[in-house]
Every structure is written in C-alpha cells, then in structure tokens.
Amino acid sequence: MTIQKRSASTRGWTVGRLPDLTGKTIVVTGGTSGIGKEAAREVARRGAHVVLPSITRAEGESAAAEIGGSTEVHEFDLTRLDAVRAFAADYTGPIDVLLDNAGLMSRTREVTADGFELHLGVNVLGPFLLTELLLPQIRERVVITASMAHTAGRIDFTDPHFRRRRYSMAAAYAQSKLGCMLWGLDLQNRLRAAGSVVDVQLAHPGFAATSILDPTPFPPVNRVLNRIGRGIIPTASDGARPLLYAATEPLPPASYIGPSGFRQIAGSPGPCERSAAAGDPELARRFREFAVSETGADPVV
C-alpha cells in the first residue's frame, strides 16, 4: 500500500482497485461477521496479514477459515475494558492499519461490564481505549466506522448512559456514532499537532443487509427478513467498500467516506458531508476528555 502515490478517484471504485498489501498488518475489529468479515477477506486476498480480535477463539478461528490467507486470532471483548487492555498488552507487533469496525445496536437498555450504556461502551469507549493503547504501534492509518445516524446524534454529557433519561435505541445509537465522529476528529487533530505520519479516516457503510439490522426480537424471523433484504438492498460486501476505500486510498486527514449514491445508501465510495456537530473541534475535545475519564486511557498524543 503506497498511500502517497495513488489517486483517490471515486468514479466506479471497486475492490478490484485495492493495492497489493503484502507485508502489511491490518487489525479488523468486528472482523468475524458482516462488513468486517468482508473487509478482512478482501485485504487478506491482497496479501495483508489480518489480525482478528474475537469474543471467542472458536468464533475467530471459524471466521479465519472463511477469510483465508494469513490470519491471526486473539480473544477480545469490547464490553470489558480489562479485556481491551489484555488484548493491547498481548498484541505487540506493528500495525499498518487499525480498522475500528466493531459495533452493535440494542433495542433494550443494556450495560457493559464497566457499567457503560451498551452502544456507548462498544461503539465508542472500548474502541477509543483500544486505539489509544495501540497507537504507538500504528504506522499508517486508523479507520473508524461511523454511521449516517450521527447526524441525529446529541452527546448528553449530563446523562450519557441513559441512567435517568428515557432509553431510546435510536438516540443511544446516534449518540454513539456522533461520538465516533468526534473521537476521530480529535484524534486527527492531536496526531497533526504531534507531527505524526499516522492519519485518521472515518467511514460509513451506507445501508447494508447485516445482522445489525435485525428488525425483530425473533431470530428465525430475522433470518427470513435478512434473506429477503439481501435481494433488494446492499449486501455486507457493498457495505465494506467505503471502509476498504478509507483504509487504502490517499485521502485528506479525517475524511468522511461513504456510498456516493442516492441518500448515501449505496454506490461507489466517496467523500460525504458530516453534521455541523461532528465537525466541531471544541465538542470533539470535550468528548475526548469524557472518554478519557470513563476509560482511564492515557493518550500518548
């Protein structure tokens, strides 16, 4: 991957334009299913060594067998900060690209082992800590998976974990994805100030038929609806394209990449507009201070 020399034209971009990644190491969280697995599969095909953090080793090994190529599985659980710290301590090798992709949606209010509202803990706070811990090992790029939902997000610093206010899945998810946008912006600002060669990119998959979109609490019904949906809406493979584009193309720091088609649902990946809040450096700084306080992270830049 030679980021500095390649053209980032969005016209008709497909995974066929991915560069040779031989000798590169790419860590993909959430790489055992959905768009993460598709992204891991494509970079492995181009020769990258793929590190797959997985909640269980069995799940990771099964995904690795499907992905093929050079893969390495580690146990890892974003719902527990001690597990995040354990993985970061265990994995000491160089990382060319960290793809912070893992995420979830929950209809009911749940909490992580550390007492965080589940969306905030898994979608932002766990990945924030992981990235801060691994940052000295990263050589090229951090990619953070965001969402169009960030535009509806609001960070409620008085009650971020919905301990007092009424819980809403939409509000919790949107808050977490705005948090991703703010974290990415602030991290890029800090890296720039430190003179680092590492950059940060933000990407969203559009609307893809993956298990995160299960619309009912009944798994058999969801499986049927997902099979139907895959015939009419973009697939996990389609959703992985913006992430792969963000991971490998030469881009301005802190770009926000997504599908370029109608309402950013599908199409070739390209630059997208973010909300005003997502581009606010002061709000981003405040969110970083909140994340540091919650996770105990010790930022290196």
Side-chain angles (χ1 to χ4, degrees):
M1 178 168 60
T2 312
I3 290 175
Q4 295 82 358
K5 295 181 181 179
R6 299 178 64 242
S7 169
S9 170
T10 65
R11 183 176 298 173
W13 194 95
T14 69
V15 294
R17 292 178 59 179
L18 285 169
D20 180 7
L21 299 172
T22 302
K24 303 295 184 181
T25 296
I26 300 180
V27 177
V28 185
T29 68
T32 59
S33 64
I35 63 174
K37 185 193 285 186
E38 295 304 317
R41 192 194 317 272
E42 293 299 340
V43 297
R45 284 174 176 168
R46 271 79 181 170
H49 176 64
V50 178
V51 179
L52 286 176
S54 174
I55 291 179
T56 67
R57 181 163 293 277
E59 181 183 30
E61 296 290 355
S62 175
E66 289 185 51
I67 290 165
S70 175
T71 56
E72 177 180 346
V73 175
H74 291 255
E75 291 190 18
F76 173 76
D77 185 351
L78 276 171
T79 67
R80 294 171 38 225
L81 294 185
D82 62 342
V84 173
R85 293 183 182 279
F87 168 75
D90 183 52
Y91 187 79
T92 58
I95 300 167
D96 293 285
V97 178
L98 170 60
L99 181 47
D100 282 307
N101 166 73
L104 52 70
M105 297 177 76
S106 175
R107 291 173 191 80
T108 58
R109 182 185 181 275
E110 299 182 45
V111 296
T112 69
D114 302 280
F116 304 146
E117 188 279 316
L118 194 62
H119 293 91
L120 202 56
V122 171
N123 295 354
V124 196
L125 296 177
F128 172 87
L129 176 62
L130 175 69
T131 303
E132 293 294 339
L133 292 171
L134 294 179
L135 202 55
Q137 297 157 242
I138 299 173
R139 301 189 289 199
E140 295 185 19
R141 181 165 284 180
V142 175
V143 179
I144 298 170
T145 301
S147 168
M148 293 181 287
H150 88 271
T151 61
R154 180 177 70 89
I155 309 296
D156 187 338
F157 290 108
T158 65
D159 187 20
H161 300 291
F162 290 83
R163 292 173 180 139
R164 296 181 301 278
R165 57 182 168 140
R166 183 176 179 179
Y167 176 79
S168 157
M169 180 181 75
Y173 183 73
Q175 175 182 246
S176 74
K177 288 304 182 177
L178 175 57
C180 288
M181 298 290 289
L182 293 169
W183 156 42
L185 176 63
D186 179 78
L187 178 56
Q188 179 58 60
N189 289 342
R190 288 186 283 135
L191 288 166
R192 182 187 294 113
S196 174
V197 298
V198 175
D199 70 9
V200 179
Q201 302 297 335
L202 297 139
H204 80 83
F207 190 76
T210 68
S211 61
I212 198 172
L213 299 174
D214 288 347
T216 82
F218 308 107
V221 175
N222 290 333
R223 284 194 290 271
V224 172
L225 292 175
N226 271 273
R227 281 197 295 270
I228 295 171
R230 288 186 180 97
I232 58 176
I233 63 176
T235 65
S237 262
D238 297 320
R241 287 195 295 165
L243 280 63
L244 292 164
Y245 182 93
T248 61
E249 288 288 342
L251 295 164
S255 293
Y256 176 45
I257 303 300
S260 57
F262 179 69
R263 294 188 180 274
Q264 301 177 34
I265 292 173
S268 299
C272 295
E273 290 188 10
R274 69 197 79 197
S275 69
D280 182 342
E282 179 57 27
L283 184 60
R285 180 198 61 77
R286 189 179 177 193
F287 185 82
R288 181 240 305 164
E289 291 176 350
F290 160 74
V292 166
S293 174
E294 294 290 85
T295 64
D298 183 16
V300 295
V301 295

